[in-house]
């Protein structure tokens, strides 16, 4: 019983949420034909799915704690297109609480 009581504070510390020193940001962003996915710096994998429309589309991340708006300005017909941060002519814009960031094809 004493051993279990000694382990309780240790287990509680492991379950405590981690507070980030920096704002959460996308680590990797990928544009697919019908979705955008982002692997976040906190480990969350976020996805936004295209509606029934064709052409540019917008939505929000689902399935993760970051329900940021997502705007796809230039859809792709490629099955998978890795994106990188860009300053001009973004294909995808993610709007975090601390501002919007654009992403375009790597290379």
């Amino acid at each position: 019983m004493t051993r279990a009581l000694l382990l309780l504070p240790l287990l509680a510390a492991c379950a405590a949420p981690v507070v980030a020193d920096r704002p959460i940001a996308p680590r990797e962003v990928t544009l697919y034909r019908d979705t955008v996915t982002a692997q976040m710096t906190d480990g969350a994998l976020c996805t936004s799915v295209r509606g029934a429309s064709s052409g540019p589309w917008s939505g929000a991340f689902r399935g993760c704690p970051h329900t940021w708006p997502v705007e796809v300005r230039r859809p792709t017909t490629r099955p998978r297109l890795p994106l990188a941060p860009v300053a001009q002519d973004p294909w995808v814009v993610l709007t975090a609480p601390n501002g919007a960031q654009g992403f375009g094809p790597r290379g």
Side-chain angles (χ1 to χ4, degrees), residues 58-105:
S58 62
F61 281 141
R62 301 283 184 247
C64 75
H66 316 293
T67 56
W68 302 354
V70 174
E71 180 185 356
V72 177
R73 295 181 179 178
R74 294 180 63 187
T76 185
T77 57
R78 293 173 57 180
R80 181 179 185 278
L81 181 61
L83 303 177
V86 295
Q88 297 178 357
D89 194 25
W91 287 36
V92 172
V93 177
L94 306 180
T95 305
N98 60 341
Q101 184 176 9
F103 293 86

